[in-house]
Amino acid sequence: MTLHPLRMSNTPDGDDGDAGVALQTRTRTKRPPLYKVLLLNDDYTPMEFVVHILERFFGMTHAEAFEIMLTVHKKGLAVVGVFSHEIAETKVTQVMDFARRHQHPLQCTMEKE
């Protein structure tokens, strides 16, 4: 919250008495915190499955998904998107449920940015 002083003008009758200072408050809304969604590497989930997940749940092109999949494979994890808490949570749940249904141990997590 920021306080900005407003000067009050002298009274209309010409009296130069003490001029008061009124404070006007302005509330600034904070942006909600963002969360990174991460995919973790494992030795069992096929690379093609990871590419499919990135295309399906994160709207990536095949080329983008392939690059991210390689990053996951080489570095052990990669950020696949940054979202509000609710959206990040939904993405993690969707990926984990989809991986389980297809019997893959793929891990997807989120952390505050």
Side-chain angles (χ1 to χ4, degrees):
M1 183 174 352
T2 310
L3 299 177
H4 297 283
L6 294 176
R7 297 249 176 237
M8 296 179 75
S9 62
N10 291 340
T11 56
D13 62 2
D15 184 10
D16 284 306
D18 290 344
V21 175
L23 295 178
Q24 176 185 19
T25 57
R26 265 192 224 164
T27 29
R28 292 190 183 181
T29 53
K30 271 188 171 178
R31 288 187 180 265
L34 296 176
Y35 291 79
K36 298 184 281 190
V37 175
L38 304 127
L39 274 185
L40 309 175
N41 189 41
D42 64 70
D43 293 332
Y44 305 100
T45 306
M47 292 179 174
E48 300 80 28
F49 185 77
V50 175
V51 170
H52 178 69
I53 281 196
L54 294 168
E55 292 170 343
R56 179 175 180 157
F57 297 108
F58 297 94
M60 294 183 187
T61 66
H62 186 75
E64 292 168 332
F66 191 81
E67 285 299 314
I68 296 288
M69 176 275 299
L70 285 178
T71 301
V72 172
H73 181 68
K74 291 176 183 173
K75 295 189 176 182
L77 65 99
V79 174
V80 296
V82 179
F83 308 96
S84 69
H85 185 271
E86 292 77 17
I87 293 174
E89 200 169 48
T90 300
K91 298 273 186 197
V92 169
T93 301
Q94 288 173 330
V95 169
M96 295 294 288
D97 289 349
F98 191 74
R100 296 301 158 262
R101 281 198 312 273
H102 290 85
Q103 301 177 342
H104 295 299
L106 183 66
Q107 293 293 305
C108 185
T109 63
M110 61 187 264
E111 64 182 41
K112 203 169 190 176
E113 188 175 45

